Structures are given as structure tokens and as C-alpha cells.
Amino acid sequence: MCSPASDSLKRLFEKLVQREVLFMAFVSTNINIGHLQGILVGDIYSPRSNLALLTIKVKAEKREPGTNRRKLHFIQFVAYDELAESFRENGRDGQIVYVQYHLTTNGKRDENGVSRFFHNRTADHAVFGSVIGDEKVSVPYVNKGFLQGTMAGLQKIYSSNEDLWSILVCETVLHDSGRELRRYHRFVLKGDELKFIAGRRNIGDPVLVEYCVESRKEERDGQKEHYTDYILTNLL
């Protein structure tokens, strides 16, 4: 099934096609696991029998100042093989869904030799709940992930209007052939306390990060761009 509002999923699929084998062949040698429970948005986009792209909306844990409302975040996932088939058969718009996933990062050079990195969330397991109708239901939202690696840098986010910083964490993944590959994940720091803790870590120090996933929109050159951020909530 293909949702009319699946343009962003189609663009994601185009990025995934050339790197599908990489996603499946590499396994993390450390902790890389996330948990998200929310409401499935739209139909499952499945351009191939072994691939499914989906969007789940989840509410933020804290309420926004001024509005006293919890912001909604729309998070995209990719599923492969048997899990992709399960989403096609069982996934319904408005359904409560739990997903266990892991973070993936892949790079690609364009025709000018410039490297671009793509950050995705690959679903490993799913539990399908009830479909929400017009009645008001209290959904038990879950949005938490963990990644273990080594400290790779502390950077200011210059594109943001806020005084935000981020840390880079290096994860080592192992290919079936025995070859090792390093992946880098960026986590946004909100608050001076986490920035202070991160500033005391040296490059190469082992770290365990706890995070949640958020979505945001920015307007650039008259066009709305959609982004997904990993927000650091704890650093060990």
C-alpha cells in the first residue's frame, strides 16, 4: 500500500536502495538499541517485497512552555524481510505500534566527490496493538534509546537559532567477512549540565548515551526541510 502523503518515504527509499546490503551485513559490537511506541501514521510504503517504510508519531515527554501541550514528533523507520512483511500485513493507520530498532549511518560520495551521511532507524522487532478510533485514548508513548561507543567530538550546531551543541559518538560495527567499520552518530545537547559532562570527556573515552528521537521542520530558501534529531538525555 502507498499513502498519498508518502513523498518523504519515497525519498528515503531512493537513498536506501543502493545501500540495502550494508544495512543487513553489519552488526554492532556494542549496545545499539532503541524503543519507541506510538501511533502508526498513514499506510505502509512497500516498494519491494523485502522492504517497508513507515512513520510513527510519538508525543514528547515534557509539555511545551506557554501552550502546556506535548509536542508530536513523526519518526520514520525502515524494516526488512519478515518484519517488512509483518508491517504490510498487520500495520494500519492509527494503530498503536511498538518498535525495537537500532541506529544506522551510511555515507555516500556524490559526483563531485563530496561525502554525504544518512542517518536511519532500522526496525528489528514490532508489536501491533489496537487501532484508535474517534474515542479519546491515553496512549502509553515510549521514546528511549541507548548507544555505546567512544567519544568522537563536541561541536556547536551553527545552523540552529539556539545555543545548541552536539556530541559525536563512534560505534564499531562488524561485517560478516570480519571487516570492521566505524559509524558516527550525532546527539544534540540541551541544557548546560549535559554540555558540562560532555566537555569533561576526552576523544576516545568509552561512553554510553541515552537519547530520545525528535522531529523538526526548518524553512530554507522558501522550502520546508524535515529533520530527525537524537536528543541526549544522559551520558555515562
Side-chain angles (χ1 to χ4, degrees), residues 8-77:
S8 60
L9 292 179
K10 291 178 182 178
R11 289 193 296 269
L12 176 60
F13 167 67
E14 292 172 356
K15 298 174 184 176
L16 292 173
V17 168
Q18 300 300 323
R19 298 184 298 280
E20 185 175 340
V21 176
L22 285 177
F23 282 148
M24 308 307 292
F26 288 96
V27 178
S28 176
T29 60
N30 296 300
I31 299 170
N32 182 351
I33 187 170
H35 308 275
L36 190 137
Q37 180 166 273
I39 301 174
L40 199 60
V41 179
D43 295 328
I44 305 300
Y45 178 56
S46 183
R48 290 183 177 180
S49 60
N50 65 337
L51 176 66
L53 306 175
L54 56 130
T55 301
I56 299 175
K57 65 179 179 181
V58 59
K59 280 189 177 181
E61 183 177 343
K62 296 182 180 179
R63 297 181 182 272
E64 292 287 304
T67 64
N68 198 34
R69 301 182 66 178
R70 296 163 66 189
K71 185 178 179 181
L72 276 174
H73 298 284
F74 295 81
I75 313 301
Q76 293 181 342
F77 295 90

Side-chain angles (χ1 to χ4, degrees), residues 23-224:
F23 282 148
M24 308 307 292
F26 288 96
V27 178
S28 176
T29 60
N30 296 300
I31 299 170
N32 182 351
I33 187 170
H35 308 275
L36 190 137
Q37 180 166 273
I39 301 174
L40 199 60
V41 179
D43 295 328
I44 305 300
Y45 178 56
S46 183
R48 290 183 177 180
S49 60
N50 65 337
L51 176 66
L53 306 175
L54 56 130
T55 301
I56 299 175
K57 65 179 179 181
V58 59
K59 280 189 177 181
E61 183 177 343
K62 296 182 180 179
R63 297 181 182 272
E64 292 287 304
T67 64
N68 198 34
R69 301 182 66 178
R70 296 163 66 189
K71 185 178 179 181
L72 276 174
H73 298 284
F74 295 81
I75 313 301
Q76 293 181 342
F77 295 90
V78 57
Y80 292 100
D81 301 328
E82 293 181 1
L83 187 55
E85 182 179 354
S86 182
F87 269 108
R88 287 198 307 273
E89 293 180 353
N90 303 303
R92 299 292 182 270
D93 182 30
Q95 184 178 33
I96 298 177
V97 175
Y98 161 80
V99 172
Q100 177 185 310
Y101 66 93
H102 66 277
L103 303 181
T104 58
T105 303
N106 296 87
K108 183 181 179 181
R109 285 191 175 91
D110 60 19
E111 60 275 8
N112 298 319
V114 179
S115 295
R116 295 186 61 192
F117 291 90
F118 301 93
H119 304 270
N120 301 296
R121 292 147 301 283
T122 301
D124 301 306
H125 177 68
V127 177
F128 299 92
S130 58
V131 176
I132 297 177
D134 296 331
E135 71 278 4
K136 190 175 182 180
V137 177
S138 179
V139 179
Y141 292 102
V142 177
N143 187 356
K144 189 178 292 293
F146 302 89
L147 186 134
Q148 182 176 323
T150 56
M151 187 73 173
L154 176 64
Q155 301 175 335
K156 182 176 176 59
I157 304 176
Y158 290 100
S159 61
S160 172
N161 295 326
E162 305 176 65
D163 183 24
L164 294 180
W165 291 70
S166 68
I167 64 168
L168 285 176
V169 176
C170 176
E171 174 201 17
T172 302
V173 292
L174 187 65
H175 190 265
D176 292 340
S177 64
R179 183 167 62 95
E180 285 190 349
L181 177 72
R182 290 182 176 84
R183 287 178 173 159
Y184 293 87
H185 306 275
R186 187 180 80 163
F187 299 89
V188 178
L189 302 173
K190 290 187 176 180
D192 293 335
E193 182 178 355
L194 285 174
K195 180 182 173 183
F196 174 78
I197 295 174
R200 294 176 63 86
R201 299 300 178 95
N202 297 316
I203 302 297
D205 283 352
V207 292
L208 175 65
V209 301
E210 179 183 325
Y211 66 91
C212 65
V213 188
E214 294 185 358
S215 63
R216 60 183 169 90
K217 291 186 292 186
E218 287 188 7
E219 188 168 325
R220 294 185 177 181
D221 301 324
Q223 299 291 327
K224 286 186 177 180

